Amino acid sequence: MSKLDNPSLEEIVGSFTDIPEVESCFQLKFVMFFGRHGARTPIQTLPNIESVNWDKETLFAEDKDTEINYVVCGLDGGTRPDPVMEHYYQRVVLKGGSFGGQLTSVGRNQAYQLGQAFRKHYVDKLKFLSSDPSFDDIYIRSTNINRCIDTATCFVAGIYGDQMKSDEKEVLKVHVDHAHTEVLYPQQELHPSLKDKWREAKHEHHHIPGMAELVQRARHLLGLPEDDKIDMTHVKDDLSTRLVHGFELPPQFDDDFIAELSQLGPKVLEHALSGPPGEKEKHLQLAAGPLLHLIQQLLHQLKENQVKDKMHLYFCHDTTLTTLLFALSIFDNEWPPLCCSVTLEIYQHTDGTFFIRVLYRGQVKKIFDRTEEILPIDDVISSLRPLSMSWEEFIHSSKCAT
């Protein structure tokens, strides 16, 4: 892995190459894909450091390969809900005129290249999807945030290319939910316990061994007072977005600092989303419960042959991927990189039973500390059940915690 959460293009493209085949007694029936967005502009910039020029005239130049016809709609197929977070990002105006948190041309190309690799595996090799676009087979959902929506469209452009540009083809629909009912990211603003864990992880550094010393070093490098409550995720955000776009880092942040930030940064996610050791189930249920409930519902429907399409593609965030990795017991102590993905492949055995195999960044993973690479679907449902929580249960828990 390259510095911080920035993969090389070779690493992204390699996500869906050389995936081992399963035994011939298994037939692929369904795929659930959860992908992080591509490279974006920073959401936070560092104080007392000259910002790079996030030039709005050059950063967002669209490659014709990534341009396709699409529409953003609600989960019911109707009007797109108000993109609440975009109103916030438009208040973050960077040097050069760009807004914060926006997918750049670098990010668009990452998503496009990942889509091409995805096509080579699921279309060209496995023949699981038709080479001709059919949205009867594919359902696409994103958070209602532009960088994820744009990642989704570039990814699909990578799969189907010029075929998506014809006016005769069905228009791609990207489904999104309202911000206040979204399950594709942890809702820390809606639950006091989650909010407290985020605050602890970001500002009470004694919870993470070594973090207090790194924070003190960052304060010194930035010329901040000793009592400044610096957020190291903001430090990472500024530095990592510089790196992926080819900008030089401020000279005071040497390789040792970057290496230590790369090592300790994921510990912030771990504490915020799964809590301290011994309390994983309690805290992870709040962070991931509604998303796991969505997955469980879909798995039950698959067992009953109630799902007509072949693939669900979800485009989301690093926090989404982190909660999934924790829930599946495959977190690797690294910040989920740009354009990484967790993929659940559902197979049917010749005897009619269903099984699941999980890929992370294109690598087959043994989930729940099991020795097998492919597990019965009932085992997966059972293992996720203690962490699953419906949206109604989440809201009830939030009210009780208030």
Side-chain angles (χ1 to χ4, degrees):
M1 172 62 62
S2 44
K3 293 178 180 178
L4 301 176
D5 59 346
N6 296 321
S8 67
L9 200 55
E10 289 74 20
E11 288 176 300
I12 292 173
V13 172
S15 294
F16 288 96
T17 58
D18 301 322
I19 296 175
E21 296 184 16
V22 297
E23 297 177 43
S24 59
C25 57
F26 293 105
Q27 180 183 8
L28 184 61
K29 302 295 288 186
F30 191 81
V31 173
M32 264 187 275
F33 168 96
F34 297 87
R36 188 188 172 193
H37 58 77
R40 57 164 174 77
T41 54
I43 297 172
Q44 303 287 342
T45 56
L46 295 176
N48 303 332
I49 295 288
E50 183 178 357
S51 174
V52 299
N53 184 31
W54 298 100
D55 183 8
K56 67 178 181 180
E57 302 301 329
T58 59
L59 277 175
F60 306 101
E62 292 191 9
D63 187 320
K64 289 184 178 179
D65 287 340
T66 67
E67 296 177 6
I68 61 172
N69 298 323
Y70 72 94
V71 63
V72 181
C73 62
L75 296 186
D76 61 358
T79 304
R80 176 186 181 180
D82 181 34
V84 174
M85 286 303 299
E86 290 306 318
H87 303 321
Y88 164 75
Y89 293 134
Q90 288 175 17
R91 295 198 297 270
V92 181
V93 182
L94 306 169
K95 180 181 177 181
S98 298
F99 294 135
Q102 304 303 305
L103 194 76
T104 63
S105 56
V106 172
R108 294 179 68 85
N109 185 53
Q110 289 174 330
Y112 178 78
Q113 296 287 345
L114 181 63
Q116 286 195 314
F118 193 86
R119 176 195 172 91
K120 288 177 182 177
H121 184 66
Y122 288 106
V123 178
D124 299 340
K125 180 181 178 181
L126 298 185
K127 312 294 184 187
F128 180 63
L129 290 178
S130 169
S131 58
D132 193 49
S134 172
F135 296 114
D136 289 334
D137 290 339
I138 304 175
Y139 171 83
I140 299 171
R141 176 172 171 178
S142 168
T143 61
N144 196 9
I145 294 175
N146 287 347
R147 63 178 175 272
C148 292
I149 295 168
D150 292 343
T151 297
T153 62
C154 293
F155 181 86
V156 174
I159 300 176
Y160 289 119
D162 290 341
Q163 296 167 284
M164 293 296 301
K165 297 177 183 177
S166 170
D167 291 335
E168 298 176 1
K169 292 293 182 182
E170 181 183 357
V171 175
L172 170 69
K173 286 186 177 181
V174 181
H175 299 81
V176 299
D177 198 4
H178 294 271
H180 63 275
T181 51
E182 182 60 82
V183 303
L184 292 184
Y185 49 66
Q187 288 276 12
Q188 63 265 24
E189 295 302 320
L190 297 184
H191 200 293
S193 298
L194 263 183
K195 193 170 187 176
D196 286 346
K197 276 288 165 271
W198 274 101
R199 179 186 52 77
E200 281 184 11
K202 291 185 175 186
H203 300 298
E204 297 183 18
H205 305 116
H206 62 277
H207 292 287
I208 302 171
M211 183 59 81
E213 292 78 7
L214 185 64
V215 168
Q216 185 59 27
R217 186 177 171 192
R219 286 194 189 107
H220 173 72
L221 295 175
L222 293 169
L224 297 172
E226 296 294 318
D227 60 349
D228 187 276
K229 290 190 174 183
I230 186 170
D231 184 339
M232 294 305 289
T233 63
H234 294 173
V235 176
K236 179 202 144 303
D237 188 46
D238 185 302
L239 299 182
S240 65
T241 51
R242 291 180 189 233
L243 280 172
V244 73
H245 292 97
F247 296 119
E248 291 188 3
L249 294 181
Q252 60 265 54
F253 292 100
D254 58 22
D255 288 346
D256 287 342
F257 182 92
I258 298 300
E260 196 167 356
L261 180 59
S262 298
Q263 179 183 5
L264 293 179
K267 300 294 183 183
V268 175
L269 287 180
E270 182 174 7
H271 187 85
L273 299 174
S274 70
E279 299 184 21
K280 173 182 173 180
E281 186 171 307
K282 171 187 173 183
H283 294 288
L284 188 54
Q285 186 182 43
L286 298 179
L291 172 59
L292 298 178
H293 182 73
L294 180 151
I295 293 172
Q296 276 199 305
Q297 284 186 313
L298 195 50
L299 294 180
H300 280 297
Q301 291 168 2
L302 283 163
K303 281 182 59 181
E304 301 300 323
N305 293 311
Q306 297 175 351
V307 179
K308 302 303 180 185
D309 41 21
K310 289 184 173 183
M311 186 173 288
H312 284 196
L313 305 175
Y314 300 92
F315 293 87
C316 39
H317 307 268
D318 47 8
T319 51
T320 319
L321 274 292
T322 301
T323 58
L324 278 177
L325 296 173
F326 278 129
L328 297 168
S329 301
I330 54 173
F331 184 65
D332 58 4
N333 296 309
E334 290 187 353
W335 200 288
L338 297 165
C339 271
C340 73
S341 60
V342 171
T343 306
L344 280 66
E345 296 182 328
I346 293 83
Y347 293 88
Q348 189 168 27
H349 192 274
T350 50
D351 66 7
T353 56
F354 287 90
F355 288 75
I356 294 181
R357 182 173 75 164
V358 172
L359 310 176
Y360 176 48
R361 301 176 61 204
Q363 301 293 314
V364 178
K365 295 296 181 181
K366 296 176 181 178
I367 59 177
F368 308 129
D369 300 318
R370 297 279 291 269
T371 58
E372 310 97 313
E373 291 184 344
I374 187 166
L375 297 180
I377 194 170
D378 287 333
D379 286 11
V380 176
I381 291 173
S382 177
S383 296
L384 291 178
R385 186 173 296 117
L387 299 174
S388 178
M389 173 184 278
S390 71
W391 184 255
E392 292 74 22
E393 290 170 328
F394 175 80
I395 295 300
H396 177 72
S397 171
S398 173
K399 291 177 180 177
C400 291
T402 303

